[in-house]
Amino acid sequence: MRTRLTIAVILAAIALASTAVAGPARALDPAPVGHLPYPASGTQAVGAGTNDANQNAQLAETLPAEIKASWKAAPPLCPGAAGSEATTVSVAGNITVVLDRQYQCSFLSAYSTSTGALIWRNAYHFAYPQRISGSTVYFQRDNPDTGQTVVEALDLPTGRVIWSSPSGSPTSDLIVGDGIVSVGVAVLDAATGRLEYLLQSEVASNGSTFIAGGRLFANNDQRVEAYKIATGERLWAITKPGGTFGPGYGAARLALNDGLLYVTGITGQDSGLTLVLNPATGGVARTLPPSSTNLAFDGNVGIFTVSDQSGALASVISAVNLTTGAVYWKRALPTDQSGPAIVAAAAPLIANGIVWFYSGYNTGTPGHIFGISEATGTLLSTTIQPCAVSFEATGIIAAQHRLFAPSACGIHTYTATTPSPAPPPVSPVAPQLLPDPGFEVGTSGWRAFTSGALTAVKSPIHGGSRALGVSAVSATPGLVGITQNTAVTSSVRGATYTISCWVRPTTPGLNLTVRFLEYPANWSRPIHLAKSTFTALPLSTWTKVRVSSVAVNSGERIIPQLFSTNQTTTSGSFTYDDCSLTRG
């Protein structure tokens, strides 16, 4: 029987579904339940399949503790494979992408989030955990013929390759955000796969990386470092206090919550405090209790787990005040007396005031999903999986009003036991807000921003029969581009708006920025929502540029703009085609 003997996690093993969580160590006040969604706050432990800002996971705020099995799926078995282990799950709206690994083969499969219907499936020799950012899937795979490892970007709706780039050694530490892909010390342009720079850092080469708050962080056993994303310039570096097994010791994935950086340490029952840092300076803000897994957050409440490596002692779960370190409640889960409770190294997650844990005895025993009250630590539900927890599982995630649990026999999903109140159906394709996305009959309501000459062109084109050419009108650099002021005149607060365009420069070196502004009806001071900047776009090919943001207020104008800051009458021009503006 195969078991996973790592330092990471020994959570819980419960022999019968009726086994209860032990009572609290002492009477404490209930933890405040915030029900906070992204981007304000909420759990940061929704699974490694999402991007590191967790922008692709919509927390299941309506999911109750009592759940039932929904759809399940797995790819066909390869020759010699005894099973198919789903390891990483990524949910982006109505598309769920799952990595399954088997003996000498791997599959990336895209399913309908609501029904489990297969959308596309790609087969590989070895593939490594994926991340989704926007409408792109990023992952690593090997080439069995050359032995080379590459990073690839796939189009989320179709699974087609957008770009492929050499990446050196394979790693599960592929991170995406702020327009870059970080793979160890290599930093790639997310739109093109071009190598931007190499981090001059042993921390990044033998630790983990993390993108949040406009910075790239690296963490290994002894140090934490922060880098400027645009250039790779190191902003600060600290040596962790206390040496081996001191606060934050280890290379756990960092977490950013409410403006502070959390660094969990390698723990036993009484070691490895959690280190809390100021992300701007690296200064130590405080230390908190130890946790064997990454934390789950709900505002100022953190869920901590501590497990004994031998499995002889019960795993302990606690809800902690992140400012004072005070413990609201503490619960112990019993170990399996017939052997150690070895489970996947996965953090809990919080949704709808429920803390979800995914555990199992070993790879030969069905896994268990526990729902625990965030306020009191009371066990609310136990759901037994039909097969074992995946040997390489990255944990369950909550999205689109359901749970997704990777297992040793594929992906399993769970929904509420009662159909009411039912969530609104998820549309497979968000409605198109542009009247003429491909510029087939005109400018589709686009106008020059802040300068530029707009011309319909028949070549080059990305699709259809026409595209839009935008050329500068001055030899002096300025803002040359297009703005769409009429497509969204009454925003919906909390809705996600996405703009994308295929672009093609005529000369090398031209940059392009894509951004959203939110204007009130009287066109007074705008809110700057989000932007992405692309530098040195490739010639002789079309590149898809994209940005998404959430509306702050209702009834306002959402204005997408695309512009270059170095386009002049002598530096070349841009062609735009097949743009899209949607509200999710």
Side-chain angles (χ1 to χ4, degrees):
M1 182 177 293
R2 184 176 55 171
T3 58
R4 184 176 183 173
L5 296 171
T6 67
I7 291 177
V9 188
I10 305 157
L11 279 177
I14 295 183
L16 298 173
S18 60
T19 302
V21 179
R26 62 182 185 273
L28 296 169
D29 292 335
V33 177
H35 297 271
L36 297 175
Y38 292 104
S41 188
T43 177
Q44 298 241 347
V46 293
T50 62
N51 71 350
D52 289 285
N54 293 308
Q55 293 164 343
N56 297 304
Q58 298 80 42
L59 292 189
E61 293 296 332
T62 62
L63 191 67
E66 294 296 332
I67 55 176
K68 64 179 180 180
S70 182
W71 62 264
K72 60 183 179 180
L77 293 181
C78 296
S84 185
E85 294 194 351
T87 64
T88 314
V89 185
S90 307
V91 181
N94 200 47
I95 299 180
T96 296
V97 179
V98 182
L99 171 63
D100 287 87
R101 300 188 68 173
Q102 302 178 15
Y103 176 73
Q104 295 293 317
C105 70
S106 302
F107 294 92
L108 271 180
S109 305
Y111 304 100
S112 165
T113 299
S114 56
T115 68
L118 181 66
I119 300 172
W120 55 261
R121 174 173 289 147
N122 295 347
Y124 306 99
H125 183 229
F126 286 120
Y128 301 87
Q130 78 277 6
R131 305 285 189 265
I132 291 180
S133 183
S135 60
T136 306
V137 183
Y138 300 89
F139 73 109
Q140 280 187 300
R141 67 169 183 86
D142 76 330
N143 184 328
D145 296 326
T146 65
Q148 184 185 46
T149 303
V150 297
V151 178
E152 284 195 343
L154 306 181
D155 180 62
L156 175 62
T158 65
R160 296 174 181 171
V161 176
I162 299 173
W163 55 256
S164 183
S165 176
S167 63
S169 300
T171 175
S172 61
D173 194 46
L174 182 149
I175 307 300
V176 182
D178 284 2
I180 65 169
V181 179
S182 170
V183 187
V185 297
V187 176
L188 312 177
D189 182 273
T192 65
R194 182 188 63 247
L195 178 66
E196 292 290 296
Y197 50 83
L198 296 174
L199 294 174
Q200 302 303 309
S201 168
E202 292 185 3
V203 176
S205 64
N206 60 20
S208 63
T209 55
F210 176 66
I211 297 170
R215 296 188 175 188
L216 173 62
F217 299 93
N219 178 41
N220 73 356
D221 287 349
Q222 302 288 352
R223 289 170 64 82
V224 182
E225 298 176 343
Y227 295 88
K228 186 181 295 185
I229 284 180
T231 63
E233 172 191 354
R234 191 168 69 181
L235 298 172
W236 55 258
I238 68 158
T239 298
K240 298 175 183 178
T244 303
F245 299 112
Y249 180 81
R253 179 68 52 74
L254 306 177
L256 186 68
N257 179 67
D258 285 349
L260 290 173
L261 200 63
Y262 289 79
V263 190
T264 56
I266 293 176
T267 67
Q269 286 288 74
D270 56 0
S271 64
L273 295 176
T274 298
L275 188 62
V276 185
L277 304 177
N278 182 330
T281 65
V284 176
R286 64 184 69 99
T287 58
L288 290 171
S291 184
S292 301
T293 70
N294 284 344
L295 308 181
F297 301 98
D298 185 3
N300 200 42
V301 176
I303 304 298
F304 291 66
T305 62
V306 175
S307 302
D308 174 61
Q309 187 179 357
S310 69
L313 300 175
S315 296
V316 177
I317 306 161
S318 45
V320 176
N321 183 301
L322 295 174
T323 301
T324 66
V327 177
Y328 293 107
W329 52 259
K330 181 179 290 187
R331 300 278 170 171
L333 297 177
T335 56
D336 177 15
Q337 298 305 310
S338 64
I342 306 299
V343 300
L349 64 87
I350 306 172
N352 194 32
I354 301 166
V355 182
W356 295 97
F357 287 88
Y358 189 30
S359 70
Y361 308 137
N362 47 52
T363 58
T365 309
H368 291 64
I369 299 173
F370 304 116
I372 297 174
S373 167
E374 180 188 356
T376 65
T378 303
L379 180 66
L380 302 176
S381 66
T382 301
T383 304
I384 301 177
Q385 284 264 93
C387 55
V389 173
S390 169
F391 183 66
E392 300 178 282
T394 53
I396 55 176
I397 68 172
Q400 300 292 355
H401 312 287
R402 65 181 65 224
L403 290 180
F404 299 78
S407 77
C409 57
I411 180 69
H412 291 255
T413 69
Y414 299 86
T415 57
T417 54
T418 57
S420 181
V426 178
S427 175
V429 179
Q432 179 58 250
L433 303 179
L434 295 176
D436 181 20
F439 308 104
E440 300 302 314
V441 296
T443 62
S444 184
W446 295 91
R447 55 189 297 181
F449 171 79
T450 57
S451 66
L454 278 55
T455 308
V457 297
K458 295 184 178 181
S459 180
I461 58 173
H462 180 264
S465 59
R466 286 181 175 83
L468 181 67
V470 179
S471 56
V473 294
S474 172
T476 302
L479 302 184
V480 179
I482 54 176
T483 180
Q484 168 57 261
N485 299 349
T486 59
V488 181
T489 58
S490 182
S491 60
V492 176
R493 179 183 179 183
T496 299
Y497 291 85
T498 300
I499 181 66
S500 66
C501 279
W502 291 91
V503 299
R504 181 168 174 154
T506 60
T507 55
L510 290 180
N511 63 44
L512 188 73
T513 294
V514 187
R515 73 178 182 184
F516 271 122
L517 301 178
E518 181 173 340
Y519 274 94
N522 62 2
W523 292 98
S524 58
R525 187 178 183 87
I527 300 172
H528 290 253
L529 297 180
K531 73 174 183 179
S532 291
T533 298
F534 304 83
T535 59
L537 291 165
L539 293 176
S540 303
T541 186
W542 291 91
T543 300
K544 189 177 185 179
V545 297
R546 179 187 182 280
V547 73
S548 294
S549 192
V550 176
V552 176
N553 301 307
S554 292
E556 299 195 336
R557 301 174 189 270
I558 302 297
I559 308 297
Q561 297 174 336
L562 298 91
F563 59 89
S564 173
T565 62
N566 64 349
Q567 183 180 340
T568 68
T569 52
T570 59
S571 66
S573 63
F574 273 101
T575 305
Y576 298 80
D577 202 2
D578 293 336
C579 294
S580 173
L581 177 60
T582 60
R583 188 189 81 196

